[in-house]
Amino acid sequence: MATPPSSDLILLVHQGIDADALVHHVRTGADGAIVTFDGCVRNQSHGRRTLYLDYEAYESMALAKMGEIAAEVHTKFPIDRVAIAHRLGRLEIGETSVFIAVSAPHRAAAFEACRYAIDTLKRSVPIWKKEYFEDGAVWADGELPPVPQDTQARKSAS
Amino acid sequence: MATPPSSDLILLVHQGIDADALVHHVRTGADGAIVTFDGCVRNQSHGRRTLYLDYEAYESMALAKMGEIAAEVHTKFPIDRVAIAHRLGRLEIGETSVFIAVSAPHRAAAFEACRYAIDTLKRSVPIWKKEYFEDGAVWADGELPPVPQDTQARKSAS
Amino acid sequence: MSSVAPSSVKPSIRVKVLFFGRLKEAAGAAEEFVELAPGSRIEDLFAGFTARRPELARYRSSLVASRNQEFAAWSTPLDSGDEIAFLPPVSGG
Amino acid sequence: MSSVAPSSVKPSIRVKVLFFGRLKEAAGAAEEFVELAPGSRIEDLFAGFTARRPELARYRSSLVASRNQEFAAWSTPLDSGDEIAFLPPVSGG
């Protein structure tokens, strides 16, 4: 898989995400637009009051997948730089769990790339969220990442 | 015209825009997503090296129009809060000329509302940018805002 | 400077006019007060300026007008106390 | 625990297995090392776990596997030293 340009920043952190540092990282004199996405902890989920969340990750693979998303975004959109950070561990209401910043010469690409990055992250990066309520905890519903075609199986079955 | 909810923040500033304050303003425990747009000064325009920019506004009308955009965004998208700030006066390369933050329970609305707000601002808010190059200055090409149907003229012509 | 009905007995109306951007430079002023005959429209007001400064005429097709901070058609009638602005294509953001 | 060819003379292979999220709780472990017959596939590895813990079988249709940090089909053959993970639906962001 492609590796992201060294100008990109990909982080998993166990403390608060420093959003300003990520924005600073992507800002260059060549850019006319920076779009950011800040995913934050809501105080409720499906109508139940949330107390806090706990995120865990398959860290080495999550970092690799986040880097692949950054690389893919560069091939799909005329952008400049990408920064992606995801936080792990316990998060309180209002805290930022994921932050993505994309810089580009023009705004359309920055918006589209940032949206693509978070949509893809939610579908394909091995991170899991457990939601704690007053009466218990549940693993959040999620999405099954797409897996390569099962060509081996077809071959051995023929 | 509709006025924006008092929870929105609409600013014209003559110094640096405090992006953190705008993001802080829109963040509530009910939100899962905050999308921001940061429009910043590029180091070139159509291949000519830019030295700096100077923005002027019809301030009272610009504030009114920015407030209308915020109000309109609330009617079009299921979002929580909007903050819009535009800077005026001389801006150096890399500085932020406009900053928009939108919070929402879910990310799709936050992205769409933020994009709609900046697109509409660029089309309809009376602000003008003069670009200073090494060999002179020009008023940037712009867009003519849409104007109400000329019904009076038609009536008097009949 | 209006082309509408003579203002012999009627009192004139007085409006504030603002110019912005390249139009401000072309007009040589940012702000002016103008007296017009009652019944004058925004187009009459602008015609008065082009009569005085013919070079303004070439901006006519690439500007919009506002009346009291709302975009307004050229045919909009004026009232005393109105704030009228002539706005070149906007380029904020 | 593999259903493929007998490993009488061939050396066995050894892989590292990781469980995450609800699957980690169901498996009762986050990490394990497993010895299998050469030629074993990811599906054989998982079958070995369900033989030991039948309650894992119900996760089979709602998880994906990875081999060395890449998503991998169930039919993917294993090599000694592989890091295999079983991943429930992801919910980051």
Side-chain angles (χ1 to χ4, degrees):
Chain A
M1 294 275 169
T3 50
S6 57
S7 59
D8 289 341
L9 183 64
I10 307 295
L11 296 171
L12 283 176
V13 299
H14 294 264
Q15 302 296 326
I17 291 174
D18 184 349
D20 288 346
L22 271 72
V23 171
H24 183 261
H25 183 87
V26 302
R27 187 189 300 276
T28 81
D31 303 313
I34 299 173
V35 171
T36 72
F37 172 77
D38 178 330
C40 33
V41 180
R42 298 178 67 195
N43 55 17
Q44 57 98 10
S45 177
H46 302 292
R48 290 170 81 191
R49 191 163 81 85
T50 302
L51 299 181
Y52 62 93
L53 301 183
D54 197 69
Y55 282 92
E56 73 168 53
Y58 181 5
E59 295 198 27
S60 58
M61 185 172 174
L63 277 170
K65 290 291 157 197
M66 289 159 72
E68 283 173 23
I69 292 170
E72 195 183 356
V73 157
H74 281 282
T75 68
K76 283 186 184 288
F77 307 98
I79 59 159
D80 185 12
R81 294 187 179 184
V82 179
I84 307 177
H86 203 297
R87 184 169 166 188
L88 302 176
R90 175 170 168 156
L91 275 81
E92 309 298 329
I93 305 304
E95 289 193 307
T96 295
S97 55
V98 61
F99 192 89
I100 300 177
V102 178
S103 61
H106 302 288
R107 71 187 183 280
F111 271 107
E112 287 160 21
C114 189
R115 178 76 191 269
Y116 181 87
I118 182 61
D119 287 354
T120 308
L121 182 150
K122 283 180 171 264
R123 204 168 48 235
S124 69
V125 174
I127 298 177
W128 299 272
K129 171 169 68 178
K130 195 165 189 174
E131 301 175 309
Y132 288 80
F133 302 103
E134 284 167 321
D135 55 352
V138 297
W139 290 98
D141 291 337
E143 295 192 56
L144 263 195
V147 168
Q149 281 294 320
D150 204 350
T151 48
Q152 300 276 353
R154 288 202 192 101
K155 249 185 275 172
S156 62
S158 68
Chain B
M1 293 277 168
T3 49
S6 59
S7 60
D8 289 342
L9 183 64
I10 307 296
L11 297 170
L12 283 176
V13 300
H14 294 264
Q15 303 296 327
I17 292 174
D18 185 349
D20 287 346
L22 271 71
V23 171
H24 183 260
H25 183 86
V26 302
R27 187 188 298 277
T28 82
D31 302 313
I34 298 172
V35 171
T36 72
F37 173 77
D38 178 330
C40 33
V41 180
R42 297 178 67 196
N43 55 16
Q44 57 98 7
S45 177
H46 302 292
R48 289 169 82 189
R49 192 163 81 84
T50 303
L51 299 181
Y52 61 94
L53 301 183
D54 197 67
Y55 282 91
E56 73 168 54
Y58 181 6
E59 295 197 26
S60 59
M61 184 172 174
L63 277 171
K65 290 292 157 194
M66 289 159 70
E68 283 173 22
I69 291 171
E72 195 183 355
V73 156
H74 281 283
T75 67
K76 283 187 184 287
F77 307 99
I79 58 158
D80 185 12
R81 293 187 179 184
V82 180
I84 307 178
H86 203 297
R87 184 170 166 188
L88 302 175
R90 174 171 168 155
L91 273 82
E92 309 298 330
I93 306 302
E95 289 192 308
T96 296
S97 55
V98 60
F99 192 89
I100 300 177
V102 179
S103 60
H106 301 289
R107 70 186 184 280
F111 271 107
E112 287 160 22
C114 189
R115 178 75 190 268
Y116 182 87
I118 181 60
D119 287 354
T120 308
L121 183 149
K122 283 182 171 263
R123 204 168 47 234
S124 69
V125 175
I127 298 178
W128 299 272
K129 171 168 69 176
K130 195 166 189 175
E131 301 175 307
Y132 287 80
F133 302 104
E134 284 166 321
D135 56 351
V138 297
W139 290 98
D141 291 335
E143 295 192 56
L144 264 195
V147 168
Q149 281 293 321
D150 205 349
T151 48
Q152 300 275 355
R154 290 205 191 98
K155 249 185 275 172
S156 62
S158 67
Chain C
M1 70 201 218
S2 168
S3 59
V4 286
S7 57
S8 49
V9 289
K10 287 181 182 171
S12 67
I13 58 174
R14 179 181 160 89
V15 300
K16 180 179 181 178
V17 184
L18 303 172
F19 296 99
F20 291 96
R22 66 189 73 185
L23 203 66
K24 177 175 68 180
E25 293 175 354
E31 184 177 323
E32 239 179 87
F33 287 87
V34 176
E35 308 259 344
L36 303 98
S40 296
R41 300 167 183 278
I42 289 176
E43 59 201 340
D44 304 318
L45 177 62
F46 192 74
F49 284 104
T50 58
R52 236 170 59 194
R53 284 186 171 255
E55 67 273 26
L56 286 178
R58 70 184 177 91
Y59 293 97
R60 172 67 170 77
S61 61
S62 64
L63 63 85
V64 296
S66 67
R67 174 173 174 265
N68 301 332
Q69 288 92 51
E70 292 290 349
F71 296 113
W74 287 97
S75 59
T76 306
L78 300 170
D79 277 336
S80 220
D82 278 354
E83 179 173 291
I84 306 300
F86 294 111
L87 313 171
V90 300
S91 53
Chain D
M1 72 203 221
S2 168
S3 60
V4 286
S7 59
S8 49
V9 287
K10 287 182 182 171
S12 66
I13 58 175
R14 180 180 159 90
V15 301
K16 181 178 180 179
V17 184
L18 304 173
F19 297 99
F20 291 96
R22 66 189 73 184
L23 203 66
K24 177 174 67 180
E25 293 174 355
E31 185 177 323
E32 238 179 270
F33 286 87
V34 176
E35 308 259 345
L36 303 97
S40 296
R41 300 167 183 276
I42 290 176
E43 58 200 342
D44 303 318
L45 176 62
F46 193 74
F49 284 103
T50 58
R52 237 168 58 193
R53 284 185 171 256
E55 66 274 25
L56 287 177
R58 70 185 178 91
Y59 292 97
R60 172 66 169 76
S61 62
S62 64
L63 63 85
V64 296
S66 67
R67 174 173 173 264
N68 300 332
Q69 286 92 54
E70 292 290 348
F71 295 114
W74 287 97
S75 58
T76 306
L78 300 171
D79 278 335
S80 219
D82 278 353
E83 179 173 289
I84 306 299
F86 294 112
L87 314 171
V90 301
S91 54

